[in-house]
Amino acid sequence: MAWNWDRRACSRRGHVTYAPDEAHLVPRLRAETAHGEAWRCLRCGDFVLGPARASGPVAGAPEVPRGKALRDLFILRVLSVERVLRGLFIVLAAVAVWKFSNSQDSVREFFDDNLALFRPIAEHFHYDLDNSPIVGSIQKTFHYRHSTLVAVAGALLAYALIEIVEGVGLWAAKRWAEYLTVVATAAFLPLEVYELTEKVSWLKLVTLAINILAVLYILLAKRLFGLRGGVRAFEAERRGESLLDAEPPVRPEAGARPAVPAAAEPSGAAPGAASNVVQD
């Protein structure tokens, strides 16, 4: 069974019906059936028995993403969650660096004391702590200046703020957030590639792949920087998905009986097996 984004969304959130004040639009959204009036859902396109949930001018109609726009919104929100979680993790790292900068000497003493305790265990497993790259990297941090560590903490905090702002904007599907995400992510790609030349890890590879795919997807799907017709083509595509601007639908027959909503069809049923008149 093919995935139907519109009906899946309606099954979770309910149908969205709207009665426009513009009389010439009413015939394409309203129908009379043997069981009363029915209004067309602006998301899934099914006719829903009962009065419209809202009414007013077309300009005041709710903006309901459907079809490709609904799928794009889902992907943007997945990226949004990833950006916010990454930002929060970087905030924790910035706080850790800042605290370390204020207690560098005590942390060094604590590390040296515990290193001595682990030395016999390491020798038992034939692990050379003195030449360990991990231990060496930690020891190098003890020689950093306080001002350097504060600057690193500030840079991490600024980077985290950018990630969180990206995430919030992407969740709300703001176009400025899409531009910010593309520019900021692309700016850090060379650094991620450089880090791979130093040491390859699965985490770095996965992160790089996600960021490259995110940049390409947002660039092409959202038509940024004039690609694929730019913002005019993007707005025209979005308006074309709206049922308020679409061609008149196939209307239900006057004697049509209400059916189970499409979202509640048995899993083996075809997407169009039910009538396009549903009970709200």
Side-chain angles (χ1 to χ4, degrees):
M1 179 178 177
W3 184 274
N4 189 309
W5 290 93
D6 303 325
R7 289 185 173 180
R8 295 287 179 178
C10 284
S11 70
R12 296 193 306 271
R13 308 174 194 171
H15 295 288
V16 182
T17 52
Y18 189 81
D21 291 344
E22 291 79 358
H24 67 283
L25 294 177
V26 173
R28 71 174 57 173
L29 297 175
R30 183 179 183 278
E32 285 291 342
T33 73
H35 300 272
E37 68 173 341
W39 287 87
R40 199 180 189 202
C41 174
L42 297 182
R43 182 186 293 117
C44 69
D46 285 343
F47 282 89
V48 183
L49 288 175
R53 291 190 172 183
S55 61
V58 170
E63 187 172 331
V64 183
R66 62 189 307 268
K68 180 177 179 296
L70 189 60
R71 182 199 65 190
D72 290 345
L73 180 61
F74 174 79
I75 295 175
L76 285 181
R77 288 188 169 177
V78 170
L79 292 174
S80 167
V81 172
E82 186 268 338
R83 288 297 190 271
V84 170
L85 291 178
R86 185 192 300 184
L88 294 176
F89 176 79
I90 297 173
V91 167
L92 294 177
V95 172
V97 172
W98 178 74
K99 286 188 173 182
F100 173 71
S101 70
N102 293 322
S103 56
Q104 199 168 353
D105 292 336
S106 59
V107 172
R108 182 189 329 190
E109 293 177 3
F110 177 80
F111 179 79
D112 290 340
D113 291 343
N114 283 274
L115 187 64
L117 293 176
F118 281 101
R119 194 177 300 278
I121 300 176
E123 291 177 352
H124 176 74
F125 289 99
H126 306 288
Y127 186 79
D128 188 1
L129 282 178
D130 295 326
N131 295 313
S132 169
I134 298 177
V135 173
S137 298
I138 295 174
Q139 289 175 335
K140 285 180 181 179
T141 63
F142 297 139
H143 301 289
Y144 292 157
R145 295 181 179 179
H146 174 76
S147 58
T148 301
L149 292 173
V150 171
V152 170
L156 288 173
L157 195 60
Y159 180 44
L161 180 61
I162 292 175
E163 293 290 292
I164 293 174
V165 170
E166 285 179 22
V168 173
L170 289 177
W171 185 273
K174 298 297 184 181
R175 195 161 179 83
W176 60 260
E178 296 163 2
Y179 275 102
L180 176 61
T181 301
V182 167
V183 172
T185 305
F188 283 99
L189 288 179
L191 179 60
E192 294 180 17
V193 173
Y194 173 76
E195 289 181 351
L196 283 174
T197 63
E198 295 291 319
K199 183 179 180 181
V200 178
S201 70
W202 283 108
L203 179 61
K204 292 180 180 179
L205 288 172
V206 170
T207 301
L208 178 61
I210 290 175
N211 287 335
I212 291 176
L213 290 175
V215 168
L216 292 177
Y217 173 79
I218 297 176
L219 272 175
L220 297 175
K222 298 300 181 177
R223 306 171 187 264
L224 302 185
F225 300 103
L227 293 177
R228 300 178 60 220
V231 65
R232 290 185 179 180
F234 173 75
E235 291 296 337
E237 180 183 50
R238 187 171 63 174
R239 287 194 302 270
E241 292 283 348
S242 172
L243 292 180
L244 291 173
D245 297 327
E247 292 298 322
V250 177
R251 301 170 62 76
E253 298 177 1
R257 295 180 58 81
V260 179
E265 292 173 11
S267 59
S275 167
N276 65 339
V277 181
V278 299
Q279 291 178 321
D280 194 4

